[in-house]
Amino acid sequence: MDNLQAIKQRFGIVGQSPLLDRALDTAIRVANTDLTVLITGESGVGKEVFSKIIHSLSARKHNKFIAINCGAIPEGTINSELFGHEKGAFTGATSDRKGYFETYDGGTIFLDEIGEMPLDTQSYLLRILESGEFIRVGSSNVLRTDVRIIAATNVDLKDRIRKNKFREDLYYRLNTVSIAVPALRDRPEDIFLLFRRFAVDFAERYRTPPLQLDERAVQLLLNHAWPGNIRELKNVAEKVSVMAENRSVTAEKLVEYVPALLERNLPMITSNGQDSGQSFQEREILYKVLFDMKNDLNDLKSLVFELIRNNNLRVPDARSLQALHAPSSSGNALKGRDLYTETDDYRNRLDNLDEEEPQVDLDQEEARPVIIQPSGNSSREPLPGNAAYGSVEVLDENLRLEDHEKTLIQRALRKHKGRRKDAADELGISERTLYRKIKQYDL
Ligand SMILES: Nc1ncnc2c1ncn2[C@@H]1O[C@H](COP(=O)(O)OP(=O)(O)OP(=O)(O)O)[C@@H](O)[C@H]1O
Ligand SMILES: [Mg+2]
Protein backbone atom coordinates (compact mmCIF):
# COMPACT_ATOMS: atom_id res chain seq x y z
CA MET A 1 0.00 0.00 0.00
CA ASP A 2 2.83 2.36 0.88
CA ASN A 3 4.27 1.59 -2.49
CA LEU A 4 0.95 2.55 -4.05
CA GLN A 5 0.88 5.88 -2.23
CA ALA A 6 4.46 6.61 -3.21
CA ILE A 7 3.69 5.89 -6.84
CA LYS A 8 0.57 8.06 -6.75
CA GLN A 9 2.64 10.89 -5.39
CA ARG A 10 5.43 10.40 -7.89
CA PHE A 11 3.10 10.41 -10.88
CA GLY A 12 0.61 13.00 -9.59
CA ILE A 13 -2.19 10.46 -9.37
CA VAL A 14 -5.03 11.69 -7.21
CA GLY A 15 -7.68 9.32 -5.89
CA GLN A 16 -8.49 6.79 -3.22
CA SER A 17 -11.09 4.69 -4.95
CA PRO A 18 -10.55 0.93 -4.69
CA LEU A 19 -11.17 0.67 -8.45
CA LEU A 20 -8.32 3.07 -9.14
CA ASP A 21 -6.07 1.29 -6.65
CA ARG A 22 -6.79 -2.06 -8.29
CA ALA A 23 -5.93 -0.72 -11.75
CA LEU A 24 -2.77 0.89 -10.43
CA ASP A 25 -1.77 -2.25 -8.59
CA THR A 26 -2.03 -4.28 -11.83
CA ALA A 27 0.02 -1.66 -13.67
CA ILE A 28 2.75 -1.86 -11.04
CA ARG A 29 2.79 -5.66 -11.13
CA VAL A 30 3.13 -5.93 -14.91
CA ALA A 31 5.45 -2.97 -15.36
CA ASN A 32 8.62 -4.93 -14.93
CA THR A 33 7.72 -7.60 -17.47
CA ASP A 34 7.65 -7.34 -21.23
CA LEU A 35 4.01 -8.36 -21.41
CA THR A 36 1.73 -6.50 -23.76
CA VAL A 37 -0.89 -4.51 -21.87
CA LEU A 38 -4.31 -3.40 -23.04
CA ILE A 39 -5.65 -0.39 -21.17
CA THR A 40 -9.38 0.19 -21.45
CA GLY A 41 -11.47 3.09 -20.24
CA GLU A 42 -13.52 6.05 -21.37
CA SER A 43 -12.01 9.15 -22.82
CA GLY A 44 -10.08 11.24 -20.30
CA VAL A 45 -9.81 8.64 -17.51
CA GLY A 46 -6.03 8.59 -17.52
CA LYS A 47 -5.08 5.77 -19.90
CA GLU A 48 -2.02 7.58 -21.17
CA VAL A 49 -0.90 8.34 -17.61
CA PHE A 50 -1.09 4.60 -16.91
CA SER A 51 1.04 3.79 -19.95
CA LYS A 52 3.71 6.21 -18.75
CA ILE A 53 3.68 4.70 -15.28
CA ILE A 54 4.20 1.23 -16.74
CA HIS A 55 7.10 2.41 -18.88
CA SER A 56 8.71 4.38 -16.06
CA LEU A 57 8.60 1.40 -13.71
CA SER A 58 9.96 -1.04 -16.31
CA ALA A 59 13.48 -2.10 -17.14
CA ARG A 60 13.11 0.01 -20.30
CA LYS A 61 12.74 3.23 -18.34
CA HIS A 62 16.02 4.66 -19.64
CA ASN A 63 14.98 3.96 -23.20
CA LYS A 64 12.48 5.92 -25.20
CA PHE A 65 8.70 6.05 -24.86
CA ILE A 66 6.29 7.35 -27.46
CA ALA A 67 2.50 7.71 -27.47
CA ILE A 68 0.94 7.30 -30.90
CA ASN A 69 -2.72 8.01 -31.53
CA CYS A 70 -3.74 5.48 -34.18
CA GLY A 71 -6.95 7.37 -34.84
CA ALA A 72 -5.10 10.55 -35.73
CA ILE A 73 -2.77 9.16 -38.42
CA PRO A 74 -4.27 8.96 -41.92
CA GLU A 75 -4.78 5.43 -43.17
CA GLY A 76 -2.50 6.04 -46.13
CA THR A 77 0.54 6.93 -44.02
CA ILE A 78 0.23 4.86 -40.86
CA ASN A 79 2.26 1.90 -42.16
CA SER A 80 5.06 4.15 -43.24
CA GLU A 81 4.98 6.02 -39.90
CA LEU A 82 5.08 2.83 -37.87
CA PHE A 83 7.30 0.58 -39.96
CA GLY A 84 9.22 3.07 -42.16
CA HIS A 85 9.59 3.04 -45.94
CA GLU A 86 12.15 2.65 -48.70
CA LYS A 87 13.00 5.38 -51.14
CA GLY A 88 10.51 5.25 -54.05
CA ALA A 89 7.96 3.12 -52.17
CA PHE A 90 5.25 5.64 -53.04
CA THR A 91 4.96 9.08 -54.56
CA GLY A 92 6.81 11.49 -52.29
CA ALA A 93 9.05 8.82 -50.72
CA THR A 94 12.22 10.59 -51.78
CA SER A 95 14.48 8.85 -49.28
CA ASP A 96 14.52 5.91 -46.89
CA ARG A 97 12.82 6.58 -43.60
CA LYS A 98 12.80 4.74 -40.30
CA GLY A 99 9.47 4.07 -38.65
CA TYR A 100 8.68 4.22 -34.94
CA PHE A 101 9.36 0.51 -34.49
CA GLU A 102 12.95 1.08 -35.59
CA THR A 103 13.48 4.39 -33.83
CA TYR A 104 12.03 3.18 -30.55
CA ASP A 105 13.78 -0.19 -30.58
CA GLY A 106 14.43 -1.12 -26.94
CA GLY A 107 11.72 1.23 -25.68
CA THR A 108 7.95 1.31 -25.25
CA ILE A 109 5.31 2.28 -27.80
CA PHE A 110 1.89 3.30 -26.54
CA LEU A 111 -0.70 2.72 -29.24
CA ASP A 112 -3.71 4.84 -28.28
CA GLU A 113 -7.11 4.28 -29.92
CA ILE A 114 -5.93 0.91 -31.18
CA GLY A 115 -9.48 0.16 -32.35
CA GLU A 116 -8.97 2.70 -35.15
CA MET A 117 -5.93 0.94 -36.57
CA PRO A 118 -6.48 -0.19 -40.20
CA LEU A 119 -6.76 -3.94 -40.73
CA ASP A 120 -3.56 -4.33 -42.76
CA THR A 121 -1.59 -2.46 -40.10
CA GLN A 122 -3.12 -4.77 -37.50
CA SER A 123 -1.67 -7.78 -39.27
CA TYR A 124 1.82 -6.20 -39.40
CA LEU A 125 1.53 -5.40 -35.71
CA LEU A 126 0.53 -8.97 -34.95
CA ARG A 127 3.65 -10.19 -36.72
CA ILE A 128 5.81 -7.88 -34.59
CA LEU A 129 4.12 -9.09 -31.42
CA GLU A 130 4.65 -12.70 -32.37
CA SER A 131 8.13 -12.66 -33.85
CA GLY A 132 9.52 -9.13 -33.50
CA GLU A 133 9.76 -9.01 -37.32
CA PHE A 134 8.58 -6.29 -39.67
CA ILE A 135 9.23 -4.93 -43.14
CA ARG A 136 9.51 -1.31 -44.24
CA VAL A 137 6.94 -0.21 -46.83
CA GLY A 138 8.32 -0.96 -50.30
CA SER A 139 11.06 -3.27 -49.03
CA SER A 140 11.43 -7.03 -48.85
CA ASN A 141 14.07 -7.06 -46.11
CA VAL A 142 12.86 -8.46 -42.83
CA LEU A 143 13.95 -6.30 -39.89
CA ARG A 144 13.74 -7.01 -36.16
CA THR A 145 12.68 -4.85 -33.27
CA ASP A 146 12.39 -5.22 -29.51
CA VAL A 147 9.57 -2.91 -28.48
CA ARG A 148 7.12 -3.25 -25.63
CA ILE A 149 3.58 -2.51 -26.71
CA ILE A 150 0.97 -0.90 -24.53
CA ALA A 151 -2.32 -0.37 -26.30
CA ALA A 152 -5.40 1.57 -25.24
CA THR A 153 -8.97 1.82 -26.36
CA ASN A 154 -12.08 3.67 -25.34
CA VAL A 155 -14.28 1.56 -27.61
CA ASP A 156 -15.38 -2.02 -27.14
CA LEU A 157 -12.91 -4.03 -29.22
CA LYS A 158 -15.21 -7.06 -29.17
CA ASP A 159 -17.76 -4.95 -30.95
CA ARG A 160 -15.12 -3.93 -33.52
CA ILE A 161 -14.35 -7.63 -33.98
CA ARG A 162 -18.04 -8.39 -34.61
CA LYS A 163 -18.06 -5.67 -37.25
CA ASN A 164 -14.93 -7.14 -38.86
CA LYS A 165 -12.98 -3.99 -38.06
CA PHE A 166 -10.59 -5.61 -35.64
CA ARG A 167 -8.66 -8.87 -35.78
CA GLU A 168 -9.67 -11.30 -33.12
CA ASP A 169 -6.20 -12.87 -32.95
CA LEU A 170 -4.65 -9.45 -32.38
CA TYR A 171 -7.21 -8.74 -29.67
CA TYR A 172 -6.21 -11.84 -27.71
CA ARG A 173 -2.53 -11.12 -28.26
CA LEU A 174 -2.88 -7.54 -26.96
CA ASN A 175 -5.12 -8.53 -24.11
CA THR A 176 -2.48 -10.62 -22.33
CA VAL A 177 -2.94 -8.27 -19.40
CA SER A 178 -5.75 -5.77 -19.33
CA ILE A 179 -6.22 -2.80 -17.07
CA ALA A 180 -9.63 -1.15 -16.79
CA VAL A 181 -9.22 2.47 -15.74
CA PRO A 182 -12.46 3.45 -13.99
CA ALA A 183 -14.71 6.26 -15.17
CA LEU A 184 -14.93 9.22 -12.83
CA ARG A 185 -18.61 8.58 -12.12
CA ASP A 186 -17.62 5.15 -10.80
CA ARG A 187 -15.24 6.71 -8.30
CA PRO A 188 -17.31 9.57 -6.87
CA GLU A 189 -15.14 9.71 -3.77
CA ASP A 190 -12.35 11.07 -5.98
CA ILE A 191 -14.28 13.87 -7.68
CA PHE A 192 -13.78 16.49 -5.01
CA LEU A 193 -10.21 15.36 -4.27
CA LEU A 194 -9.32 15.86 -7.93
CA PHE A 195 -11.10 19.20 -8.15
CA ARG A 196 -9.26 20.44 -5.09
CA ARG A 197 -5.92 19.33 -6.47
CA PHE A 198 -6.55 21.03 -9.83
CA ALA A 199 -7.84 24.18 -8.10
CA VAL A 200 -4.60 24.37 -6.07
CA ASP A 201 -2.50 23.77 -9.20
CA PHE A 202 -4.30 26.48 -11.16
CA ALA A 203 -4.16 28.88 -8.21
CA GLU A 204 -0.38 28.45 -8.24
CA ARG A 205 -0.22 28.92 -11.97
CA TYR A 206 -2.40 32.04 -11.97
CA ARG A 207 -1.02 33.30 -8.64
CA THR A 208 -4.36 33.55 -6.88
CA PRO A 209 -5.65 31.97 -3.65
CA PRO A 210 -7.29 28.59 -4.36
CA LEU A 211 -11.04 28.38 -4.93
CA GLN A 212 -13.41 27.40 -2.17
CA LEU A 213 -16.67 25.71 -3.15
CA ASP A 214 -19.74 25.89 -0.94
CA GLU A 215 -21.49 22.68 -0.02
CA ARG A 216 -24.11 22.90 -2.74
CA ALA A 217 -21.47 23.61 -5.36
CA VAL A 218 -19.64 20.45 -4.31
CA GLN A 219 -22.94 18.58 -4.59
CA LEU A 220 -23.23 19.79 -8.17
CA LEU A 221 -19.84 18.34 -8.99
CA LEU A 222 -20.83 15.05 -7.41
CA ASN A 223 -24.12 14.90 -9.32
CA HIS A 224 -22.55 15.43 -12.72
CA ALA A 225 -21.94 12.35 -14.90
CA TRP A 226 -18.51 13.55 -16.18
CA PRO A 227 -18.61 12.02 -19.67
CA GLY A 228 -15.17 13.57 -20.34
CA ASN A 229 -13.88 12.22 -17.01
CA ILE A 230 -10.74 13.68 -15.42
CA ARG A 231 -9.93 15.81 -18.45
CA GLU A 232 -13.37 17.43 -18.23
CA LEU A 233 -13.01 17.98 -14.49
CA LYS A 234 -9.61 19.57 -15.02
CA ASN A 235 -11.06 21.92 -17.63
CA VAL A 236 -13.90 22.86 -15.30
CA ALA A 237 -11.43 23.59 -12.49
CA GLU A 238 -9.35 25.75 -14.81
CA LYS A 239 -12.32 27.63 -16.20
CA VAL A 240 -13.73 28.40 -12.77
CA SER A 241 -10.28 29.35 -11.46
CA VAL A 242 -9.93 31.89 -14.23
CA MET A 243 -13.48 33.21 -14.25
CA ALA A 244 -14.43 33.38 -10.58
CA GLU A 245 -14.40 37.00 -9.38
CA ASN A 246 -14.75 35.74 -5.87
CA ARG A 247 -12.61 32.92 -4.45
CA SER A 248 -15.63 31.52 -2.67
CA VAL A 249 -17.82 29.90 -5.31
CA THR A 250 -21.52 29.21 -4.78
CA ALA A 251 -23.54 26.65 -6.71
CA GLU A 252 -25.28 29.47 -8.61
CA LYS A 253 -21.94 30.89 -9.73
CA LEU A 254 -20.61 27.47 -10.61
CA VAL A 255 -23.44 26.73 -13.04
CA GLU A 256 -23.14 30.20 -14.46
CA TYR A 257 -19.54 29.38 -15.41
CA VAL A 258 -20.24 25.75 -16.36
CA PRO A 259 -23.88 25.28 -17.42
CA ALA A 260 -23.17 21.66 -18.40
CA LEU A 261 -23.08 20.81 -14.70
CA LEU A 262 -26.86 20.94 -14.66
CA GLU A 263 -27.13 18.11 -17.10
CA ARG A 264 -27.01 14.72 -15.55
CA ASN A 265 -26.27 12.86 -18.76
CA LEU A 266 -28.84 10.26 -17.99
CA PRO A 267 -28.89 7.02 -19.90
CA MET A 268 -30.22 7.50 -23.40
CA ILE A 269 -33.15 5.74 -24.97
CA THR A 270 -32.00 5.28 -28.51
CA SER A 271 -34.30 6.83 -31.08
CA ASN A 272 -34.76 5.65 -34.62
CA GLY A 273 -33.23 8.89 -35.77
CA GLN A 274 -36.49 10.49 -36.86
CA ASP A 275 -37.87 13.63 -35.36
CA SER A 276 -35.08 13.72 -32.79
CA GLY A 277 -36.16 17.06 -31.29
CA GLN A 278 -39.51 15.66 -30.38
CA SER A 279 -38.24 12.35 -29.12
CA PHE A 280 -35.78 14.22 -26.96
CA GLN A 281 -38.64 16.09 -25.34
CA GLU A 282 -40.54 12.88 -24.88
CA ARG A 283 -37.53 11.29 -23.27
CA GLU A 284 -37.32 14.20 -20.89
CA ILE A 285 -40.88 13.58 -19.77
CA LEU A 286 -40.26 9.91 -19.29
CA TYR A 287 -37.17 10.57 -17.25
CA LYS A 288 -39.13 13.00 -15.10
CA VAL A 289 -41.75 10.38 -14.50
CA LEU A 290 -39.18 7.74 -13.63
CA PHE A 291 -37.33 9.95 -11.21
CA ASP A 292 -40.49 11.12 -9.53
CA MET A 293 -41.67 7.57 -9.21
CA LYS A 294 -38.38 6.55 -7.73
CA ASN A 295 -38.50 9.36 -5.17
CA ASP A 296 -42.13 8.69 -4.31
CA LEU A 297 -41.33 5.06 -3.85
CA ASN A 298 -38.40 5.74 -1.56
CA ASP A 299 -40.55 8.09 0.53
CA LEU A 300 -43.24 5.47 0.74
CA LYS A 301 -40.81 2.76 1.73
CA SER A 302 -39.40 4.89 4.56
CA LEU A 303 -42.91 5.77 5.68
CA VAL A 304 -43.99 2.16 5.78
CA PHE A 305 -40.88 1.07 7.67
CA GLU A 306 -41.38 3.83 10.21
CA LEU A 307 -45.02 2.96 10.70
CA ILE A 308 -44.29 -0.71 11.12
CA ARG A 309 -41.42 -0.12 13.51
CA ASN A 310 -42.98 2.61 15.64
CA ASN A 311 -46.37 1.02 15.98
CA ASN A 312 -45.38 -2.58 16.25
CA LEU A 313 -47.67 -3.25 13.33
CA ARG A 314 -48.22 -6.34 11.32
CA VAL A 315 -46.84 -6.08 7.82
CA PRO A 316 -49.72 -5.57 5.40
CA ASP A 317 -50.37 -7.96 2.62
CA ALA A 318 -48.84 -7.25 -0.77
CA ARG A 319 -52.21 -6.55 -2.41
CA SER A 320 -52.97 -3.71 -0.08
CA LEU A 321 -49.50 -2.26 -0.58
CA GLN A 322 -50.03 -2.27 -4.30
CA ALA A 323 -52.88 0.18 -3.82
CA LEU A 324 -50.19 2.71 -2.88
CA HIS A 325 -49.03 2.70 -6.48
CA ALA A 326 -52.12 4.59 -7.65
CA PRO A 327 -51.08 7.98 -9.04
CA SER A 328 -51.13 10.74 -6.48
CA SER A 329 -53.55 13.57 -7.00
CA SER A 330 -51.11 16.24 -5.88
CA GLY A 331 -50.23 16.88 -9.50
CA ASN A 332 -46.58 17.50 -8.73
CA ALA A 333 -45.17 14.80 -10.96
CA LEU A 334 -43.98 17.38 -13.40
CA LYS A 335 -41.92 19.20 -10.87
CA GLY A 336 -39.22 16.63 -11.65
CA ARG A 337 -36.15 17.71 -9.80
CA ASP A 338 -33.43 16.05 -11.70
CA LEU A 339 -34.07 16.56 -15.29
CA TYR A 340 -34.19 20.22 -16.18
CA THR A 341 -31.84 21.01 -18.95
CA GLU A 342 -32.82 24.64 -19.51
CA THR A 343 -30.21 26.69 -17.73
CA ASP A 344 -32.72 29.35 -16.69
CA ASP A 345 -34.40 26.71 -14.58
CA TYR A 346 -31.29 26.03 -12.63
CA ARG A 347 -32.36 27.94 -9.56
CA ASN A 348 -35.18 25.49 -9.09
CA ARG A 349 -32.76 22.62 -9.23
CA LEU A 350 -30.24 24.27 -6.99
CA ASP A 351 -32.90 24.82 -4.36
CA ASN A 352 -33.56 21.13 -4.43
CA LEU A 353 -29.93 20.30 -3.75
CA ASP A 354 -30.70 21.04 -0.12
CA GLU A 355 -32.94 18.03 0.01
CA GLU A 356 -31.23 14.75 0.38
CA GLU A 357 -31.67 13.13 -3.00
CA PRO A 358 -31.10 9.48 -3.52
CA GLN A 359 -28.59 8.85 -6.28
CA VAL A 360 -30.33 6.95 -9.00
CA ASP A 361 -28.69 4.67 -11.45
CA LEU A 362 -31.35 3.76 -13.94
CA ASP A 363 -29.39 0.83 -15.29
CA GLN A 364 -29.04 -0.73 -11.91
CA GLU A 365 -32.16 0.28 -10.14
CA GLU A 366 -35.15 0.74 -12.34
CA ALA A 367 -35.67 -2.79 -13.51
CA ARG A 368 -35.56 -4.30 -10.05
CA PRO A 369 -38.64 -5.14 -8.07
CA VAL A 370 -39.14 -3.31 -4.79
CA ILE A 371 -37.91 -5.34 -1.91
CA ILE A 372 -39.32 -4.56 1.46
CA GLN A 373 -37.39 -6.04 4.30
CA PRO A 374 -39.05 -5.56 7.67
CA SER A 375 -36.73 -4.95 10.59
CA GLY A 376 -36.57 -7.95 12.83
CA ASN A 377 -37.45 -6.36 16.15
CA SER A 378 -41.22 -6.14 16.03
CA SER A 379 -43.35 -9.08 16.96
CA ARG A 380 -45.12 -10.10 13.86
CA GLU A 381 -47.32 -12.99 12.94
CA PRO A 382 -46.79 -14.63 9.59
CA LEU A 383 -49.33 -13.58 7.01
CA PRO A 384 -51.94 -16.06 5.98
CA GLY A 385 -51.15 -17.71 2.70
CA ASN A 386 -47.72 -16.18 2.59
CA ALA A 387 -45.53 -18.49 4.56
CA ALA A 388 -42.32 -17.21 3.07
CA TYR A 389 -42.94 -13.77 4.45
CA GLY A 390 -40.96 -12.73 7.45
CA SER A 391 -37.75 -12.16 5.59
CA VAL A 392 -38.47 -10.58 2.23
CA GLU A 393 -41.53 -9.37 0.41
CA VAL A 394 -41.30 -8.67 -3.30
CA LEU A 395 -43.72 -6.37 -5.06
CA ASP A 396 -43.79 -6.15 -8.79
CA GLU A 397 -43.81 -2.50 -9.88
CA ASN A 398 -45.48 -1.34 -13.03
CA LEU A 399 -42.64 0.37 -14.83
CA ARG A 400 -44.18 0.47 -18.27
CA LEU A 401 -43.24 3.85 -19.66
CA GLU A 402 -46.32 3.95 -21.84
CA ASP A 403 -48.66 3.56 -18.90
CA HIS A 404 -47.04 6.38 -17.02
CA GLU A 405 -46.84 8.60 -20.05
CA LYS A 406 -50.54 8.10 -20.65
CA THR A 407 -51.40 8.86 -17.01
CA LEU A 408 -49.29 11.97 -17.09
CA ILE A 409 -50.93 13.26 -20.24
CA GLN A 410 -54.37 12.60 -18.79
CA ARG A 411 -53.44 14.50 -15.65
CA ALA A 412 -52.07 17.44 -17.60
CA LEU A 413 -55.21 17.60 -19.75
CA ARG A 414 -57.42 17.43 -16.66
CA LYS A 415 -55.43 20.10 -14.91
CA HIS A 416 -55.73 22.44 -17.89
CA LYS A 417 -59.35 21.55 -18.49
CA GLY A 418 -58.65 20.06 -21.87
CA ARG A 419 -56.64 23.05 -23.18
CA ARG A 420 -54.07 21.25 -25.27
CA LYS A 421 -51.67 24.13 -25.62
CA ASP A 422 -51.37 24.62 -21.85
CA ALA A 423 -51.15 20.88 -21.25
CA ALA A 424 -48.42 20.55 -23.89
CA ASP A 425 -46.52 23.47 -22.34
CA GLU A 426 -46.66 21.89 -18.93
CA LEU A 427 -45.57 18.53 -20.28
CA GLY A 428 -42.74 20.21 -22.13
CA ILE A 429 -43.73 18.80 -25.53
CA SER A 430 -45.08 20.39 -28.67
CA GLU A 431 -48.80 20.60 -29.27
CA ARG A 432 -48.31 18.40 -32.31
CA THR A 433 -46.69 15.67 -30.21
CA LEU A 434 -49.49 15.94 -27.65
CA TYR A 435 -52.07 15.64 -30.42
CA ARG A 436 -50.31 12.54 -31.70
CA LYS A 437 -50.21 11.01 -28.23
CA ILE A 438 -53.91 11.74 -27.63
CA LYS A 439 -54.71 9.83 -30.77
CA GLN A 440 -52.25 7.09 -29.96
CA TYR A 441 -53.69 6.49 -26.50
CA ASP A 442 -57.22 7.16 -27.63
CA LEU A 443 -57.75 9.78 -24.92
N1 LIG B 1 -5.65 9.94 -11.24
C1 LIG B 1 -5.32 11.13 -11.78
N2 LIG B 1 -5.01 12.16 -10.98
C2 LIG B 1 -4.74 13.37 -11.51
N3 LIG B 1 -4.78 13.66 -12.80
C3 LIG B 1 -5.06 12.66 -13.64
C4 LIG B 1 -5.35 11.34 -13.19
N4 LIG B 1 -5.62 10.56 -14.25
C5 LIG B 1 -5.53 11.35 -15.33
N5 LIG B 1 -5.19 12.61 -14.99
C6 LIG B 1 -5.08 13.75 -15.89
O1 LIG B 1 -6.26 13.72 -16.69
C7 LIG B 1 -5.97 14.10 -18.03
C8 LIG B 1 -6.42 13.00 -18.97
O2 LIG B 1 -5.58 11.87 -18.83
P1 LIG B 1 -5.12 10.97 -20.08
O3 LIG B 1 -4.71 11.82 -21.24
O4 LIG B 1 -4.15 9.98 -19.57
O5 LIG B 1 -6.52 10.29 -20.39
P2 LIG B 1 -6.86 9.25 -21.56
O6 LIG B 1 -7.66 8.17 -20.91
O7 LIG B 1 -5.63 8.87 -22.29
O8 LIG B 1 -7.82 10.10 -22.48
P3 LIG B 1 -8.20 9.85 -24.06
O9 LIG B 1 -8.99 8.58 -24.11
O10 LIG B 1 -9.04 11.03 -24.37
O11 LIG B 1 -6.92 9.79 -24.80
C9 LIG B 1 -4.49 14.37 -18.08
O12 LIG B 1 -4.30 15.76 -17.92
C10 LIG B 1 -3.94 13.63 -16.88
O13 LIG B 1 -2.78 14.23 -16.38
MG1 LIG C 1 -5.13 9.23 -24.35
Side-chain angles (χ1 to χ4, degrees):
M1 240 348 163
D2 286 350
N3 188 26
L4 205 60
Q5 290 309 330
I7 282 170
K8 282 184 188 172
Q9 207 150 34
R10 176 172 160 202
F11 293 97
I13 295 292
V14 177
Q16 298 173 343
S17 135
L19 288 175
L20 175 75
D21 285 359
R22 195 183 325 149
L24 215 44
D25 189 56
T26 312
I28 297 165
R29 279 170 203 271
V30 294
N32 215 4
T33 68
D34 264 341
L35 291 175
T36 305
V37 181
L38 179 64
I39 305 176
T40 60
E42 293 178 13
S43 173
V45 289
K47 296 187 292 297
E48 189 162 335
V49 175
F50 266 75
S51 71
K52 287 179 181 157
I53 294 175
I54 294 171
H55 173 73
S56 307
L57 298 177
S58 77
R60 297 168 183 261
K61 64 183 171 214
H62 299 300
N63 298 341
K64 289 195 270 187
F65 167 94
I66 187 172
I68 299 167
N69 185 334
C70 303
I73 306 178
E75 197 164 334
T77 55
I78 190 164
N79 289 337
S80 145
E81 296 247 351
L82 292 178
F83 312 111
H85 62 249
E86 296 279 274
K87 182 178 175 183
F90 48 84
T91 324
T94 49
S95 57
D96 291 357
R97 183 171 176 247
K98 282 184 180 178
Y100 293 129
F101 278 96
E102 257 178 282
T103 314
Y104 289 82
D105 190 11
T108 304
I109 295 187
F110 172 55
L111 295 171
D112 203 359
E113 291 191 33
I114 188 85
E116 300 302 314
M117 184 178 265
L119 278 167
D120 62 333
T121 316
Q122 290 177 32
S123 52
Y124 305 140
L125 176 63
L126 185 63
R127 182 171 178 194
I128 289 190
L129 286 169
E130 283 180 343
S131 63
E133 291 174 356
F134 69 101
I135 296 173
R136 285 183 179 181
V137 176
S139 162
S140 51
N141 271 352
V142 175
L143 302 174
R144 293 192 63 82
T145 185
D146 168 28
V147 163
R148 199 233 187 120
I149 301 290
I150 303 174
T153 179
N154 56 20
V155 298
D156 180 6
L157 287 182
K158 291 223 169 104
D159 186 51
R160 303 282 292 167
I161 293 170
R162 277 190 293 275
K163 292 176 177 152
N164 293 323
K165 296 274 171 55
F166 204 80
R167 290 182 66 120
E168 193 169 11
D169 45 8
L170 178 61
Y171 171 73
Y172 288 113
R173 190 64 190 68
L174 288 172
N175 204 16
T176 321
V177 176
S178 69
I179 297 178
V181 186
L184 196 49
R185 82 185 74 82
D186 295 331
R187 37 186 287 216
E189 63 270 58
D190 293 345
I191 294 177
F192 183 61
L193 291 180
L194 279 157
F195 184 88
R196 206 174 49 190
R197 156 64 71 87
F198 294 141
V200 169
D201 289 351
F202 289 122
E204 266 174 32
R205 184 182 304 173
Y206 299 121
R207 294 172 200 285
T208 53
L211 294 174
Q212 302 281 343
L213 298 187
D214 76 9
E215 220 172 280
R216 294 186 320 147
V218 173
Q219 198 60 40
L220 268 181
L221 293 185
L222 299 182
N223 280 351
H224 187 52
W226 300 107
N229 293 291
I230 299 179
R231 185 177 295 111
E232 183 188 1
L233 181 67
K234 200 170 179 176
N235 290 342
V236 165
E238 179 161 29
K239 188 170 178 190
V240 181
S241 300
V242 172
M243 292 181 71
E245 303 120 26
N246 201 324
R247 289 296 93 188
S248 178
V249 179
T250 61
E252 282 81 1
K253 277 287 165 198
L254 188 58
V255 287
E256 201 178 306
Y257 304 137
V258 192
L261 289 179
L262 276 185
E263 290 157 26
R264 283 238 178 142
N265 291 303
L266 293 161
M268 301 285 281
I269 296 171
T270 47
S271 81
N272 56 7
Q274 295 165 5
D275 212 356
S276 59
Q278 258 182 32
S279 59
F280 177 73
Q281 287 182 328
E282 289 169 18
R283 263 202 322 263
E284 286 279 290
I285 298 177
L286 298 180
Y287 287 148
K288 283 176 188 171
V289 176
L290 283 173
F291 272 90
D292 278 332
M293 271 176 45
K294 183 85 196 166
N295 288 339
D296 286 350
L297 216 53
N298 282 336
D299 292 346
L300 270 175
K301 279 197 271 181
S302 322
L303 194 71
V304 172
F305 290 150
E306 282 292 297
L307 282 172
I308 291 172
R309 202 171 35 235
N310 296 344
N311 300 302
N312 235 9
L313 291 176
R314 284 180 32 187
V315 179
D317 150 329
R319 279 177 307 252
S320 57
L321 274 178
Q322 262 164 354
L324 292 172
H325 286 271
S328 90
S329 55
S330 62
N332 65 358
L334 274 177
K335 293 182 194 146
R337 290 179 295 193
D338 306 290
L339 296 140
Y340 286 57
T341 50
E342 302 87 348
T343 48
D344 53 0
D345 257 334
Y346 71 84
R347 259 166 222 292
N348 246 343
R349 299 198 47 189
L350 293 174
D351 290 344
N352 286 316
L353 285 173
D354 292 333
E355 299 167 31
E356 203 182 316
E357 284 185 80
Q359 291 284 304
V360 180
D361 178 342
L362 285 177
D363 277 349
Q364 306 249 323
E365 297 283 335
E366 295 298 345
R368 272 194 236 143
V370 188
I371 297 176
I372 296 186
Q373 180 129 32
S375 61
N377 56 1
S378 59
S379 62
R380 219 178 279 114
E381 290 168 28
L383 288 167
N386 193 353
Y389 201 90
S391 56
V392 172
E393 176 78 20
V394 178
L395 300 183
D396 206 4
E397 281 182 287
N398 174 5
L399 286 177
R400 272 181 67 80
L401 291 178
E402 270 188 13
D403 292 348
H404 290 284
E405 186 180 62
K406 188 174 164 187
T407 310
L408 200 63
I409 291 172
Q410 280 171 328
R411 282 165 60 181
L413 284 168
R414 257 203 312 276
K415 179 172 170 189
H416 293 284
K417 307 204 167 35
R419 288 188 305 274
R420 285 190 194 151
K421 172 146 192 356
D422 295 342
D425 279 352
E426 172 130 24
L427 290 164
I429 58 176
S430 69
E431 232 182 310
R432 194 157 68 87
T433 307
L434 179 59
Y435 182 71
R436 198 159 47 78
K437 297 273 169 203
I438 290 172
K439 280 182 84 170
Q440 179 187 339
Y441 295 128
D442 203 14
L443 299 175

